[in-house]
Amino acid sequence: METFNHNLSNLFSQLGLNNSQSFIESFLCEHHLEQNEMLTEASFWLPAQKRFLKESQEQDADWSEVIDQLDTLLRK
C-alpha cells in the first residue's frame, strides 16, 4: 500500500506552485477569498489548478482535507 503525506506543502507542489514555507506564507498573505467566494472559482487559479481542486473535492479525494484547510486559510 502506498502512503502519501497530503499536506499544504505537497498540495502546492501538486498545483505546480513553489512549495517552500516562505512562498506559502506569501501566497496566503497576498490571496484572499471573499465570504461567499468558492475556492475553485477564485481568479488567482489557472484553469488546470481550478479543475484539480474541483475534481478533488467532488470525488472526496485524499486531497479534500488539505484543500479545505487551504480554503480556511484564504479566508483569514
Side-chain angles (χ1 to χ4, degrees):
M1 181 175 162
E2 184 178 336
T3 58
F4 186 76
N5 187 8
H6 291 86
N7 60 32
L8 204 54
S9 176
N10 289 332
L11 176 61
F12 271 66
S13 285
Q14 186 69 24
L15 292 168
L17 299 171
N18 181 328
N19 70 340
S20 69
Q21 187 63 35
S22 60
F23 179 85
I24 293 171
E25 289 172 7
S26 293
F27 185 92
L28 294 173
C29 287
E30 295 170 13
H31 299 87
H32 300 282
L33 296 173
E34 298 299 323
Q35 183 177 356
N36 295 319
E37 185 178 18
M38 294 177 58
L39 176 67
T40 57
E41 297 303 318
S43 62
F44 48 82
W45 299 123
L46 297 173
Q49 293 168 325
K50 287 182 180 186
R51 190 169 40 258
F52 171 78
L53 293 167
K54 186 175 182 175
E55 288 174 0
S56 294
Q57 288 179 317
E58 288 174 350
Q59 298 169 5
D60 197 25
D62 292 341
W63 289 108
S64 294
E65 189 174 320
V66 74
I67 291 171
D68 289 344
Q69 177 187 6
L70 177 59
D71 185 283
T72 300
L73 291 169
L74 288 168
R75 294 182 190 282
K76 290 185 177 183

